[in-house]
Amino acid sequence: MRLLHATIDDAIAWRCARLSLGRTALEPKAGLGAMPEPMTVWLRHRVPAVNWLLRGLLGAVPHAEAPERNPFKTGPAGSEKIPTD
């Protein structure tokens, strides 16, 4: 968790517009407000038959869906404003 917090702190300090955190440890990242983005993999083998096999295998790889969370508290309408600089 310290590394995750330090990475986010550095990204804020460097004024990064985006930060890619990968697909591991989905729960802690979602708890901090990370939003999932679609991912694709491009893979090509020089033997066409291997390409056909790989296409089927990559589609069968299981992966967890990232949970959607909002780390900001919600209160009565208009009571809390999130700065949008």
Side-chain angles (χ1 to χ4, degrees), residues 22-60:
R23 297 280 304 178
T24 59
L26 298 175
E27 289 286 332
K29 293 172 186 172
L32 293 173
M35 305 295 281
E37 291 192 9
M39 293 178 56
T40 56
V41 175
W42 292 87
L43 189 68
R44 183 175 181 274
H45 195 277
R46 59 183 155 175
V47 178
V50 175
N51 286 326
W52 183 78
L53 288 171
L54 288 175
R55 187 176 310 127
L57 289 175
L58 287 176

Side-chain angles (χ1 to χ4, degrees), residues 3 9 16 20-21 33 35-36 45 53-55 57-59 61 63 71 73 75:
L3 180 59
D9 186 43
C16 294
S20 177
L21 298 171
M35 305 295 281
H45 195 277
L53 288 171
L54 288 175
R55 187 176 310 127
L57 289 175
L58 287 176
V61 174
H63 64 281
K73 293 182 180 179

